Amino acid sequence: MSAEGTRPSVDAELKVGQTRNLIIATLASVMGFWAWTIIGPLSSRYSQAMDLTAGQTSILVAMPILVGSVARVPVGALTDRYGGRVMFTAILGVTAPLVLLTAIVGQLNSFGLLVFVSFFLGIAGTVFAIGIPFCSAWYEAHRKGFATGVFGAGMVGTAVSAFVTPRIVAGLG
């Protein structure tokens, strides 16, 4: 059977679940980006509570961004090997306890522990390297740009972090 003979079934297989997967991946991206940048909106609170210098605050805020940017390379390779579902699950599964740990360590007022947790929060910034190949694989060539654009909207998680995190902390302590 020629490649053209199998084309309709391939297109039909791509359409099954593509919208659901795109929505779930975008929501996962929002959560990942929120976690990745959660230290930034809390930095002034940490700075005051721990009497941090400007340099210490900069290290605290930059740590997850730096780690997430560099870690995208190996996470992208792992995504190629194990797939987006496995990697989304692994990365978000590691990230959730780190967010809770950020709250606990913040209460301890320990700069060293906070930098340590901040380092590992950088893992959350790798969701982009997972989602782009995951989402584009579900769409035909002429729709891949649409899929990656919708997934890219998940970067709104950084804005969610900036607006919502301080309010949650103010409300819950």
Side-chain angles (χ1 to χ4, degrees):
M1 196 177 228
S2 71
E4 286 115 312
T6 60
R7 180 80 180 163
S9 67
V10 171
D11 286 346
E13 286 178 32
L14 284 175
K15 291 189 184 298
V16 175
Q18 68 183 10
T19 302
R20 181 196 64 207
N21 285 327
L22 181 58
I23 291 168
I24 291 170
T26 303
L27 292 174
S29 177
V30 170
M31 300 311 290
F33 276 98
W34 184 349
W36 188 39
T37 58
I38 202 167
I39 297 289
L42 300 175
S43 63
S44 63
R45 180 181 216 95
Y46 293 140
S47 184
Q48 289 173 354
M50 292 183 238
D51 196 31
L52 302 178
T53 66
Q56 288 173 311
T57 303
S58 297
I59 289 169
L60 190 59
V61 172
M63 186 61 69
I65 306 305
L66 177 65
V67 171
S69 298
V70 173
R72 286 180 182 176
V73 175
V75 168
L78 290 170
T79 300
D80 288 343
R81 183 178 181 122
Y82 297 109
R85 286 185 183 148
V86 169
M87 290 305 295
F88 266 133
T89 303
I91 294 300
L92 293 178
V94 167
T95 299
L98 289 169
V99 170
L100 296 174
L101 194 56
T102 302
I104 293 167
V105 170
Q107 293 293 330
L108 296 174
N109 289 331
S110 171
F111 175 70
L113 283 175
L114 201 52
V115 169
F116 181 78
V117 172
S118 181
F119 177 89
F120 287 102
L121 274 173
I123 294 168
T126 65
V127 295
F128 204 73
I130 300 167
I132 293 297
F134 177 75
C135 291
S136 66
W138 284 92
Y139 284 82
E140 308 85 4
H142 70 279
R143 302 272 323 229
K144 287 183 189 291
F146 165 78
T148 56
V150 170
F151 172 75
M155 290 190 307
V156 75
T158 58
V160 171
S161 181
F163 290 116
V164 175
T165 302
R167 287 165 179 78
I168 290 173
V169 171
L172 298 177

